[in-house]
Amino acid sequence: ARSGFGHLYELSGAALVRESVRAQDLVNRWETEEESRPRGGRFLGLAMEPRAHEFILGVWQDPRFRAVLGDLRNRLTDERWLSALMFVTAKLLEQCDSLEMSQNIHVPLVTDDEILAFRGRVPYYEYLDPPDNVEERVNRYCFFKALDILEAQFEPSDRLHLQPGVVTSLRDKPAKGD
């Protein structure tokens, strides 16, 4: 198992670190922006904020999303958490290539995934039918990616402070004598 994990890490470790660094950067940038904006005010230079706001409001009001959000739906009532979700979703919308995403958003094959029971919600791609509208697909993808980022890294104590090219604690360290 140890050598198998090491092989998997070699194959995907760089991508994991890159995505984690990207997520940390987005949350750190939100914290910086949050401190400098007036309470309830808009973020400066965040072009996709209205689109993200409209989509998140729609998710909150749409009963189909209750099973997908689970307990995280209650977090949408937390002003600070909602602000972070808005910022990260809008930044992801700004960074995505809609044409590429419309062709590459797929439905992963998930079977017997026990984490679904622990999280208390079902994956959106299994529960919700994919929309025909490309913009709606991109909105949904960015929203749920932002949700995952915040669930994992909203609290500073949850962040791993990863750096590309640096061996991290994610690596399975060999036991003595290996």
Side-chain angles (χ1 to χ4, degrees):
R2 183 173 289 124
S3 64
F5 182 80
H7 179 69
L8 287 174
Y9 184 83
E10 293 300 323
L11 292 174
S12 58
L16 288 171
V17 171
R18 186 174 53 250
E19 280 297 307
S20 293
V21 167
R22 178 181 179 208
Q24 288 173 179
D25 180 53
L26 287 169
V27 176
N28 290 339
R29 287 169 61 191
W30 163 75
E31 284 181 326
T32 302
E33 293 283 330
E34 182 68 13
E35 291 172 5
S36 64
R37 76 180 181 127
R39 185 175 178 168
R42 295 198 45 193
F43 291 101
L44 296 176
L46 191 58
M48 292 294 189
E49 184 178 5
R51 180 171 161 182
H53 180 268
E54 182 180 328
F55 184 78
I56 292 169
L57 183 61
V59 165
W60 170 254
Q61 295 171 344
D62 191 335
R64 295 176 304 154
F65 283 88
R66 287 194 179 121
V68 179
L69 294 174
D71 291 341
L72 289 178
R73 188 170 187 275
N74 296 333
R75 299 289 311 256
L76 294 176
T77 61
D78 176 345
E79 187 176 299
R80 187 167 160 75
W81 203 85
L82 181 60
S83 168
L85 181 62
M86 186 88 56
F87 182 87
V88 174
T89 301
K91 280 293 185 187
L92 290 171
L93 285 167
E94 286 178 0
Q95 296 170 1
C96 75
D97 177 352
S98 297
L99 179 61
E100 179 185 342
M101 288 183 67
S102 69
Q103 296 167 356
N104 293 323
I105 293 177
H106 63 283
V107 178
L109 178 60
V110 180
T111 56
D112 300 324
D113 187 356
E114 296 302 324
I115 195 67
L116 302 180
F118 294 126
R119 289 189 332 188
R121 62 184 202 273
V122 297
Y124 77 92
Y125 48 78
E126 283 194 350
Y127 186 76
L128 300 170
D129 292 329
D132 294 330
N133 181 319
V134 173
E135 184 176 297
E136 182 69 14
R137 251 184 292 170
V138 171
N139 288 347
R140 191 179 287 180
Y141 176 83
C142 291
F143 169 78
F144 282 105
K145 185 171 181 92
L147 198 66
D148 290 340
I149 287 170
L150 291 179
E151 185 177 23
Q153 299 193 21
F154 181 69
E155 299 298 332
S157 60
D158 292 335
R159 297 179 208 151
L160 297 173
H161 306 290
L162 300 173
Q163 298 292 324
V166 176
V167 176
T168 70
S169 59
L170 291 177
R171 187 175 215 30
D172 187 42
K173 295 180 182 166
K176 291 183 180 182
D178 282 354

